[in-house]
């Protein structure tokens, strides 16, 4: 099936008793045993599994082309479960511009438990220099947040496999509509479902999708069950509902982002636009090779520095000043302020989550703010 059909049907079923076309919400935390002690419904206790979560995880796995999926209460919970599944002392290689929430997890919660280096994973020589005998995981994020760097997933996987190292990819910015890392050789995909999967800025969630059901995946599943950082049945239902329109929403985000990026690139007050769909992007050719389309996120830098960036962001009317991304409304933020004192983000940079408003209105709003 094509991705539009998967998005509508893989997370749903017709209810056997009522014949309702849409799955019911099952709020029960516990499930009845049969006389012989088995569980005919396949569920024991809702921390371990729930009918709504099972449907959501089937949908997630099918969209990414994986063998299985695990859903969590947030993207950070999903990422943390990967780190918790690793043996103490495991060395992780991560991008130097890794999403600050997961970067801070490693630095503040796993210091002394895991080892980690934040490097330019796009430089093959630097990457190979940092591989050690106890390196167990290479984490990639492409496109990256907020610099929109593109990592050649196939190249990283090729290097990793020579050393028996697993590769995990944060695919939040791209979604499986634009990019499918498992098909490119990655072992694991992570999503913050709060973003494009939810799509309406009104629910939180996270997900991991595995290429195969390995011993490592079994350990991640244990972390999910024992740790209990799971989404509620209502969140699972709402997320499954939202994901039915994901392929069509993403087309609108991509369309608007491309046109807004082209407009900004030609504006005299803009120093640089970071969007992989622009030929001027340093990794545009890699993006064309591994992505079906280029996503709905972009960043741009103003020539007149931080003060001008703050002036522009405060003069916008349609773009909302807010953290997060992936909703139908356009959001903009001064990312360096959000990331804190150790940020690598330029202070003249604004990050934009391009929404589904009419592109003419977005361009007009930006033009007024820049003037």
């Amino acid at each position: 099936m094509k991705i539009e059909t998967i998005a509508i049907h893989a997370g749903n079923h017709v209810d056997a008793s009522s014949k309702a076309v849409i799955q019911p919400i099952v709020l029960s935390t516990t499930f009845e045993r049969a006389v012989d002690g088995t569980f005919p419904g396949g569920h024991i206790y809702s921390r371990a599994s729930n009918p709504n979560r099972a449907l959501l995880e089937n949908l997630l796995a099918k969209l990414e082309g994986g063998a299985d999926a695990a859903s969590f209460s947030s993207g950070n919970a999903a990422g943390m479960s990967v780190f918790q599944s690793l043996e103490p002392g495991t060395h992780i290689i991560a991008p130097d511009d890794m999403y600050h929430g997961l970067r801070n997890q490693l630095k503040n919660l796993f210091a002394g438990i895991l080892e980690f280096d934040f490097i330019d994973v796009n430089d093959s020589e630097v990457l190979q220099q940092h591989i050690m005998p106890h390196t167990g995981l290479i984490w990639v994020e492409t496109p990256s947040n907020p610099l929109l760097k593109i990592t050649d997933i196939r190249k990283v996987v090729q290097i990793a496999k020579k050393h028996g190292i697993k590769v995990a990819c944060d695919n939040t910015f791209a979604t499986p509509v634009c990019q499918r890392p498992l098909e490119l050789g990655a072992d694991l995909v992570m999503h913050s479902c709060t973003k494009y999967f939810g799509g309406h800025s009104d629910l939180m969630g996270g997900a991991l999708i595995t290429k195969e059901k390995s011993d490592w995946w079994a350990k991640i599943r244990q972390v999910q069950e024992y740790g209990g950082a799971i989404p509620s049945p209502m969140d699972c239902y709402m997320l499954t509902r939202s994901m039915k329109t994901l392929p069509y929403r993403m087309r609108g985000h991509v369309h608007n982002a491309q046109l807004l990026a082209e407009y900004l690139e030609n504006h005299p007050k803009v120093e640089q636009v970071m969007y992989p769909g622009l030929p001027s992007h340093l990794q545009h050719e890699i993006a064309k090779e591994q992505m079906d389309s280029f996503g709905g996120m972009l960043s741009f830098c103003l020539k007149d520095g931080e003060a001008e960036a703050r002036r522009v962001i405060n003069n916008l009317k349609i773009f909302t000043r807010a953290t997060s991304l992936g909703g139908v409304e356009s959001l903009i933020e001064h990312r360096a302020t959000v990331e804190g004192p150790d940020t690598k983000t330029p202070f003249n940079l604004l990050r934009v989550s391009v929404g589904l408003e009419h592109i003419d209105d977005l361009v007009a709003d930006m033009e007024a703010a820049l003037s």
Side-chain angles (χ1 to χ4, degrees), residues 32-157:
E32 185 181 32
R33 292 178 184 265
V35 174
D36 62 1
T38 61
F39 290 86
H43 305 284
I44 301 172
Y45 184 62
S46 62
R47 176 165 45 78
S49 64
N50 165 278
N52 295 103
R53 200 162 92 231
L55 286 168
L56 170 61
E57 290 175 346
N58 183 64
L59 173 58
L60 290 163
K62 293 289 196 303
L63 285 175
E64 282 285 6
D68 198 14
S71 57
F72 296 84
S73 56
S74 70
N76 270 19
M80 181 179 282
S81 75
V82 177
F83 306 145
Q84 289 174 315
S85 73
L86 300 173
E87 292 294 327
T90 299
H91 176 240
I92 300 172
I93 295 174
D96 52 9
D97 63 339
M98 184 183 197
Y99 164 60
H100 77 106
L102 294 178
R103 178 188 176 97
N104 288 339
Q105 274 189 20
L106 288 173
K107 290 172 59 180
N108 297 321
L109 300 181
F110 290 92
I113 301 171
L114 301 172
E115 295 181 30
F116 36 86
D117 283 309
F118 302 104
I119 66 164
D120 182 1
V121 295
N122 298 325
D123 187 322
S124 297
E125 187 174 333
V126 170
L127 176 58
Q128 293 181 87
Q129 288 172 351
H130 281 83
I131 291 175
M132 296 187 277
H134 57 297
T135 302
L137 178 67
I138 299 174
W139 186 278
V140 298
E141 178 185 329
T142 180
S144 71
N145 180 11
L147 301 179
L148 280 296
K149 291 182 181 178
I150 301 297
T151 297
D152 189 330
I153 298 173
R154 287 191 183 92
K155 184 179 290 186
V156 171
V157 167

Side-chain angles (χ1 to χ4, degrees), residues 209-230:
I209 302 96
T210 185
K211 189 173 187 176
E212 60 182 29
K213 293 183 179 181
S214 61
D215 291 342
W216 182 37
W217 180 248
K219 186 66 178 291
I220 289 172
R221 277 292 201 179
Q222 279 189 325
V223 173
Q224 180 200 32
E225 180 179 348
Y226 298 163
I230 54 166

Side-chain angles (χ1 to χ4, degrees), residues 300-319:
F300 66 100
C301 295
L302 279 302
K303 288 180 179 177
D304 292 334
E306 180 180 357
E308 176 66 2
R310 293 189 182 277
R311 187 194 69 80
V312 169
I313 199 173
N314 289 326
N315 283 331
L316 289 163
K317 306 300 182 187
I318 296 176
F319 293 84

Side-chain angles (χ1 to χ4, degrees), residues 41 78 90 106 112-113 130 135 150 155 165 186 204 256-257 267 269 320 350 353 356 361:
T90 299
L106 288 173
I113 301 171
H130 281 83
T135 302
I150 301 297
K155 184 179 290 186
I165 299 169
M204 294 195 74
N256 281 357
H267 198 284
K269 290 189 176 181
T320 302
L350 297 176
S353 173
L356 299 181
D361 295 326

